[in-house]
Amino acid sequence: MLRVARRLVGPASLAVGLAAAPVAHAQVGGAGTESSAPIVSAVRVEGNQRVEPETVASYMTIRAGDRFDPLRVDESLKALYATGLFGDVQIRAEGNDLVVTVVENPIINRVVLEGNSKLSEDQLTKELQVKPRAIFTRSKVQSDVQRMLELYRRAGRFAATIEPKIVQLPQNRVDLVFEIKEGPNTGVERISFIGNKAFTDGDLREEIATRESRWYRFFSSEDNYDPDRMTYDRELLRKFYLINGYADFRVLSSVADLTPERDAFFITFTVDEGPIYKFGPVDIESRIRDLVPDELRPSLLAVEGETYNAELIEKTIDKLTDAAGNLGYAFVDIRPVLKRDRETQTVSITFQINEAPRVYVERINITGNVRTLDEVIRREFRLSEGDAFNTAKKERSRQRLQALGFFEKVDVTQVQGSSPDRTVMNVDVQEKSTGELQVGAGFSSSEGVVGEVSVRERNLLGRGQDIRISASVSQKRTQFDFGFTEPYFLGRNVAAGIDVFNINRDYQDEAQYDLERSGFALRAGFSLSEYLRMTTRYTLRLDNITNVGEYASTSVKEAGARGETLTSMVGYVLSYDRRDRPQRPTDGYYLFVGQDFAGLGGDVTYIRSTAGGNFYYPITDSVVASLSGEGGYIHGLGQDVYLNDRFDVGGQNFRGFEDAGIGPRDASTTDSLGGNIYAIGTAEVSFPVGLPEEYGIRASVFTDFGTLFEVDTTSATTVDDDSSLRLSVGAGISWDSPFGPIRVDFAHALLKESYDKTQVFRFSFGTKF
């Protein structure tokens, strides 16, 4: 921070509240009536250094040749002060001359901030009106001090003080120094409630955004006093009580008292809860012929006799609006009419649906896309120009655009068109980076140290094409991949792509062998309906089991002796997706079924079938429950299923067990042999840990369950193989850190076989830069 030398004599100290310099009264002699007043022969300017005399005279309303007029002299005096150029102005008469004596305000040479560390110089200076080479005025300095103090208050530092000082320089110049004492963070010592009977203080503290100061909230600013947040807290309290049936609830006052040390606040909310209400009769009145009340009653979420809940009224309006939108009424007006009966403590509701014309899409405007072509956006739209407007299709279009992963934000709105039955849809997107150059390093409990390099572009040339090249190396795996996807192959709604891969995997810990795998896959995916999708694929793959251990299982040795095996395989996956979003879904479900047939040439012949599903349910806005399960069966056609084609269960897909930790195992060598049949599932509840959502930290509790059994093997191998259920329970925490995803899981196996291999702790960490 720049320091101003204090060796100049007598630097003036400005008091922020100092009033403007006193204005001298104009001294005008011999002024009588206007007709007898003398005429001003000349206007002389004295004391000016930078401002030209002509400029000073130009601001005045009285000039040479005018008669002396005290009113015009006073107006001239005020006009000169209003310019901000002068700290003092006096006007007097000498004979018939008018003499104007001015003291010019100094020029600011530098503006210096001293003592600031919590707020940067850039944050403060952009709020300042005073700038180098500008005219110094006390009013601007006073205003700037207040603006900077407001910034500190918003940062939670109410004890901050700012003292402006000036250092006089030659040629009527000054250095302006703001001496800042930032003071401590002004936290919230205590939050209290008065008048609450139905809910405790602790219950209500959980509902507001402001938090009491605690040592562990160093990541959060919610325990700093913020008057705007306090206003928001009043609304959160009102919403909470209205959801729980208190229709008469009011916040009578909210007071923040600053401690004498100015380092903390005591916040007190005074509330009037009132009685609890129930829903009375709930009805629908429709003035639109196609919207029949009886057909809309399933959309009513408010039920007579249940506790009043204002949130259910808003959700009912949304459902009724969607129902009207699905019939083409874009601007339907739904108004809930509430009748409160304080004697019976009930609230009756009538949802009035007012008349509105059927609306058609006149035009679709797209804005905000810089790289992405318009056609890439339009082909995801479920509505076309000329179609009848449909709310469900509009929302589905927004979901599809968001799912592309090209945009930070997608807003789809409609405005009135050229006539009442026309609407214009505006699509505003905010693009985000789709190119990725990643260099990664990390550690996982299953693969040890991991290194990765990958280059990917998910929106190549703005056409939505996806190209990817990656290489990863760990203590147990070396992998190279190339993939390319054209989302609309030959202009049709078919996503065609190719994948080329080469993998070397170390299975020494699991079964004393290494696996080399290379090949390519061709794929094509297309929609059968809005949510149903089919993906077909062809894979040509060469596998080779090497480095078989001396004491490995007989089955493993036989697989190694077989040498390279070529697999030529065709398959499909049929999926049904009703999730609210592909990444971190909070609601909806996803179902899939798939089959692969190997035997179109090559060395192996089998049929492999898999099926599964994921279900998500929001318990609250931030707590999500999920249930997932899948299973599979592989059956050799005229031959045994090879070791490298069987299923493995454990580790990432079954916590509480090591990789390939359950299922058939050689009784003598304990080598994992994989299985032909598997079924696994997970029930999980994820929730925030109390830190701001932007930190990306969530915790979860879970239970994993499943089985893996049946293996084709020779009579020379004794196999432990049991289809019994395995079960584990545990808890985990995940962090989408700036360095990459971090996941820690603790799990304990409750049901297991004696030959299974368990694992309590599982940790994975990756970094990208």
Side-chain angles (χ1 to χ4, degrees), residues 337-355:
V337 179
L338 280 65
K339 294 182 179 179
R340 188 177 311 174
D341 189 331
R342 288 185 167 84
E343 291 184 2
T344 61
Q345 294 180 2
T346 59
V347 179
S348 302
I349 306 173
T350 301
F351 293 94
Q352 294 182 347
I353 306 177
N354 297 318
E355 291 187 36

Side-chain angles (χ1 to χ4, degrees), residues 126-143:
K126 70 180 181 181
E127 296 293 329
L128 298 181
Q129 299 179 64
V130 292
K131 305 288 183 184
R133 296 180 297 279
I135 302 295
F136 170 86
T137 63
R138 290 178 175 84
S139 59
K140 287 184 178 180
V141 172
Q142 181 182 13
S143 175

Side-chain angles (χ1 to χ4, degrees), residues 145 149 157-163 179-183 262:
V145 168
L149 286 175
R157 296 181 179 272
F158 281 77
T161 60
I162 301 175
E163 183 180 0
E179 292 186 349
I180 302 171
K181 295 180 180 178
E182 295 181 316
R262 302 179 65 85

Side-chain angles (χ1 to χ4, degrees), residues 641-714:
V641 177
Y642 290 172
L643 174 68
N644 49 290
D645 291 321
R646 298 176 193 144
F647 299 112
D648 287 327
V649 173
Q652 192 64 35
N653 61 1
F654 203 145
R655 290 160 292 188
F657 295 89
E658 293 183 2
D659 290 336
I662 73 169
R665 194 174 297 276
D666 189 304
S668 58
T669 66
T670 70
D671 289 341
S672 174
L673 304 178
N676 295 347
I677 303 174
Y678 83 100
I680 56 175
T682 297
E684 186 167 6
V685 176
S686 66
F687 48 89
V689 295
L691 295 176
E693 186 177 349
E694 56 266 25
Y695 290 136
I697 301 177
R698 292 182 66 85
S700 64
V701 292
F702 60 83
T703 177
D704 289 349
F705 48 89
T707 185
L708 173 69
F709 60 96
E710 189 177 295
V711 62
D712 301 325
T713 185
T714 64

Side-chain angles (χ1 to χ4, degrees), residues 373-496:
L373 302 180
D374 276 11
E375 64 179 89
V376 173
I377 297 175
R378 289 184 183 275
R379 68 194 183 194
E380 300 299 328
F381 246 72
R382 303 297 92 183
L383 287 167
S384 300
E385 293 169 348
D387 290 349
F389 178 82
N390 185 296
T391 301
K393 289 184 177 181
K394 182 196 83 167
E395 178 59 22
R396 178 58 180 163
S397 301
R398 189 197 63 78
Q399 289 178 351
R400 289 174 63 92
L401 287 173
Q402 196 74 60
L404 288 175
F406 303 162
F407 310 112
E408 193 76 41
K409 181 185 69 173
V410 178
D411 288 329
V412 182
T413 57
Q414 69 264 14
V415 296
Q416 185 71 53
S418 58
S419 60
D421 63 343
R422 294 289 185 268
T423 183
V424 175
M425 300 189 66
N426 295 319
V427 184
D428 183 29
V429 299
Q430 180 181 332
E431 292 183 317
K432 63 182 180 181
S433 175
T434 55
E436 300 173 4
L437 171 61
Q438 298 179 352
V439 180
F443 174 82
S444 76
S445 53
S446 60
E447 296 193 18
V449 178
V450 180
E452 178 183 359
V453 178
S454 68
V455 179
R456 185 181 184 187
E457 173 55 62
R458 294 179 290 111
N459 188 13
L460 186 64
L461 302 176
R463 299 179 179 274
Q465 298 167 334
D466 190 333
I467 187 170
R468 170 182 51 84
I469 303 173
S470 66
S472 61
V473 179
S474 72
Q475 291 175 280
K476 302 190 67 173
R477 175 176 53 87
T478 302
Q479 182 169 339
F480 300 93
D481 291 284
F482 168 80
F484 177 78
T485 302
E486 168 54 65
Y488 272 71
F489 185 62
L490 299 178
R492 299 180 179 274
N493 189 14
V494 176

Side-chain angles (χ1 to χ4, degrees), residues 468 480-484 497-503 516-524 536-543 565-571 596 600 608:
R468 170 182 51 84
F480 300 93
D481 291 284
F482 168 80
F484 177 78
I498 182 173
D499 299 297
V500 181
F501 53 87
N502 180 271
I503 304 170
E516 298 176 357
R517 173 171 288 174
S518 59
F520 71 91
L522 302 175
R523 49 188 162 74
T536 59
R537 61 198 175 203
Y538 171 76
T539 304
L540 186 65
R541 190 184 74 207
L542 187 67
D543 290 356
T565 58
L566 182 66
T567 302
S568 178
M569 178 172 59
V570 63
D596 294 301
L600 300 177
R608 179 173 60 198

